[in-house]
Amino acid sequence: MHDYQWQKSSYSNAAVNCVNVAAAPDGTVCLRESDDPQVILSATRDGLAAFLAAIKESRTGEL
């Protein structure tokens, strides 16, 4: 496993269900869930931004 500098999302509560994020040396963004830290998802910054924008739009009914 890579030695990333993981940070807990500010939206995660203190005890459980934490989302961790780290910047990879190749410029991608890595995400993992605290309950299963061996599973790491990676995305480009633009890809992650587009994904988050789509989620926000769907929550406001704009899709």
Side-chain angles (χ1 to χ4, degrees):
M1 184 181 293
H2 295 92
D3 190 24
Y4 296 127
Q5 296 293 322
W6 293 102
Q7 297 178 5
K8 185 175 79 165
S9 168
S10 60
Y11 290 100
S12 296
N13 64 31
V16 295
N17 299 327
C18 297
V19 174
N20 302 126
V21 63
D26 66 0
T28 59
V29 178
C30 297
L31 303 164
R32 69 179 184 182
E33 204 272 315
S34 62
D35 289 345
D36 197 0
Q38 293 80 18
V39 177
I40 299 172
L41 304 175
S42 64
T44 63
R45 292 176 183 262
D46 290 341
L48 182 58
F51 176 70
L52 294 174
I55 291 171
K56 289 177 185 178
E57 288 174 12
S58 70
R59 294 181 82 197
T60 61
E62 295 178 18
L63 279 180

